[in-house]
Amino acid sequence: MSVILPAGTAFLDDLTVEAAALAGPGHWQTGQLGSAHFTVRALEGYRSEVPPDDPACARYLSALDRTATGPYRMRVTGLTLTPGSVMAAAEPVDGAADEFMDRLALELGPDGWFERPHGRRDIWYVNLLHFTGDITEPAKLIDWVAERRRLEPVEVVVPAAELVRFRLVGGERPHMRPVRL
């Protein structure tokens, strides 16, 4: 489970389609509509099921209710490439997203254990494409990302944060889709 800021825009979806075409089939197109998001905080590892009366889920939702104010305004500023993904880098337009992240960490208390060893997240991004195997055109993908390292900023307004879990969706555009709890 994670707390996210959903970032569904055609702009991110279009970038995801372009990156996927260069990377080749089978990679997870996480930046597509209905899936793109800024992760505020991962709360635990994958669980195949979360029962409706799950006590941890209830605590996470309570912490979210006490801290989330929204809206959150983010500005996508460029792309970056990591060993595991193509990412759209972003920066907050104002202090709302960073303040929310910090308040949530405090409100979670012991339930914030999962990310605590890594320290405070200091970047905002949307994973457009998660690599699941070999990249068909690695040099072309590297060049494509380099050409988009800096983009004309595009603002994404997120009305509210969500507590989600992820489900793998197959098909022509496989991806990990956030499912709201």
Side-chain angles (χ1 to χ4, degrees):
M1 287 187 270
S2 296
V3 174
I4 67 166
L5 302 178
T9 69
F11 168 72
L12 293 170
D13 189 57
D14 291 345
L15 288 171
T16 300
V17 168
E18 290 181 47
L22 294 170
H27 301 288
W28 296 346
Q29 297 185 34
T30 309
Q32 68 181 277
L33 289 172
S35 180
H37 63 277
F38 301 98
T39 299
V40 178
R41 190 174 190 97
L43 299 171
E44 57 183 60
Y46 177 77
R47 280 201 266 165
S48 60
E49 295 298 323
V50 178
D53 61 347
D54 184 80
C57 184
R59 292 190 310 270
Y60 301 156
L61 285 168
S62 178
L64 183 60
D65 287 344
R66 290 189 307 272
T67 57
T69 54
Y72 306 98
R73 296 173 51 224
M74 307 296 277
R75 186 178 298 122
V76 176
T77 59
L79 301 185
T80 192
L81 188 60
T82 74
S85 70
V86 175
M87 300 161 69
E91 57 190 38
V93 173
D94 54 30
D98 283 332
E99 290 167 13
F100 167 54
M101 181 191 299
D102 293 338
R103 284 192 321 270
L104 180 64
L106 289 173
E107 286 295 326
L108 284 167
D111 282 327
W113 65 272
F114 191 70
E115 280 197 6
R116 191 171 295 124
H118 308 293
R120 185 189 188 281
R121 187 182 306 251
D122 63 353
I123 61 171
W124 289 97
Y125 59 89
V126 173
N127 276 307
L128 301 177
L129 192 68
H130 282 102
F131 303 131
T132 60
D134 292 337
I135 297 170
T136 305
E137 304 264 5
K140 287 183 181 178
L141 181 63
I142 290 167
D143 291 345
W144 181 83
V145 170
E147 291 165 4
R148 289 156 183 79
R149 183 77 177 121
R150 298 256 182 260
L151 295 171
E152 185 66 32
V154 174
E155 189 169 315
V156 177
V157 178
V158 180
E162 296 180 356
L163 176 65
V164 301
R165 57 185 310 219
F166 293 93
R167 287 282 185 219
L168 180 60
V169 176
E172 190 174 313
R173 296 186 71 194
H175 63 286
M176 291 300 283
R177 179 166 300 272
V179 178
R180 189 174 185 184
L181 295 169

